[in-house]
Amino acid sequence: EAGVAQSPRYKIIEKRQSVAFWCNPISGHATLYWYQQILGQGPKLLIQFQNNGVVDDSQLPKDRFSAERLKGVDSTLKIQPAKLEDSAVYLCASSPGTGRSGELFFGEGSRLTVL
Amino acid sequence: EDQVTQSPEALRLQEGESSSLNCSYTVSGLRGLFWYRQDPGKGPEFLFTLYSAGEEKEKERLKATLTKKESFLHITAPKPEDSATYLCAVQDNTPLVFGKGTRLSVIA
C-alpha cells in the first residue's frame, strides 16, 4: 500500500514570496490533515478536511495560509506572503475516518526555509 | 498552559539499559492518548492508542501504560535502532494535541 505522498521535500524562499505544497493521501482515506512542525516542537494542526469539507481550520493563519482539497483526494497548502516564522516542516497526514481518528498516517513532510 | 508535557526532553541510554518516558496531560474528557515515533527527516509513525486508565499496549521492546493524568512508554533492553523522537498526543473534543517529544539516543 502506497503511503502519503508530499512534494516538494525541500523549499527555500525569500520572505514575502509565495509557496505551495502538495499532498496525495492514502487511497480511500476520507480525512486529510495539514500540520506544521517547527524545529524542536510537536506537530500543530493547521487544517483538517473530511472528504471535500473543512472540519477544523481554527489554527490556520487565514491572512496568509490557504488550503484546498479538490474532489476529496489530493490537497494543496499555500502560503502567501511567507514570513520568517513560517520556516518549518509541513506534514500531511490521512486517516480512514472510521472512528480511530487519532491513528494518523503521515507523509515525510515538506521542509520550508524562509530567508 | 500546555495540555501535553513530555519528559525528559532528551534521554541517552546504553544498549540494554531499560527506562521510561513520561507524558502528562491536563485535558478533561480524554478520548484517546496516542504514541508516535519520529525518525529524523521523516513524518511521525503511529505506535499505540490508549483509551482508559489501566490500559496497556505492547509492541516488541515498547510498552505503553495510561493513568488518569499521565502515560508512560517503557523501553525494555533498547537497541540502537530504537533511537528516535517519541511523541505523545491527546484527544478530547478537539483535534490531536501533540507534546514536544522525547529525543531518545541508544548507544551501542
Side-chain angles (χ1 to χ4, degrees), chain A residues 9-10 33 35 37 40-45 48 56 91 99-109 111, chain B residues 31 34 36 38 40-46 49 51 85 87 89 91 94-101 103:
Chain A
R9 287 296 315 278
Y10 305 94
Y33 311 79
Y35 281 85
Q37 187 173 27
Q41 305 287 318
K44 183 184 87 170
L45 181 69
Q48 176 184 345
D56 189 317
L91 294 163
R100 297 187 299 174
S101 56
E103 185 177 336
L104 307 184
F105 296 81
F106 284 86
E108 294 195 325
R111 180 177 297 276
Chain B
R31 289 175 55 192
F34 308 86
Y36 283 81
Q38 187 171 27
K42 305 287 187 182
E45 177 186 355
F46 171 78
T49 305
Y51 291 108
T85 295
L87 295 165
Q91 187 173 44
T94 60
L96 282 184
V97 176
F98 281 86
K100 294 180 180 180
R103 190 170 62 254

Side-chain angles (χ1 to χ4, degrees), chain A residues 42-54:
Chain A
K44 183 184 87 170
L45 181 69
L46 293 175
I47 189 166
Q48 176 184 345
F49 293 95
Q50 179 80 19
N51 296 312
N52 286 351
V54 175

Side-chain angles (χ1 to χ4, degrees), chain B residues 24-43:
Chain B
S24 62
Y25 60 92
T26 57
V27 298
S28 58
L30 182 74
R31 289 175 55 192
L33 185 141
F34 308 86
W35 283 98
Y36 283 81
R37 169 188 171 133
Q38 187 171 27
D39 292 301
K42 305 287 187 182

Side-chain angles (χ1 to χ4, degrees), chain A residues 21-76:
Chain A
F21 302 112
W22 173 83
C23 171
N24 191 22
I26 292 172
S27 178
H29 280 195
T31 309
L32 185 148
Y33 311 79
W34 282 102
Y35 281 85
Q36 180 193 58
Q37 187 173 27
I38 293 172
L39 186 65
Q41 305 287 318
K44 183 184 87 170
L45 181 69
L46 293 175
I47 189 166
Q48 176 184 345
F49 293 95
Q50 179 80 19
N51 296 312
N52 286 351
V54 175
V55 174
D56 189 317
D57 64 356
S58 57
Q59 298 187 88
L60 186 74
K62 298 181 185 63
D63 57 334
R64 298 183 301 105
F65 286 65
S66 64
E68 60 181 5
R69 189 183 185 194
L70 299 176
K71 301 181 181 179
V73 182
D74 56 357
S75 176
T76 302

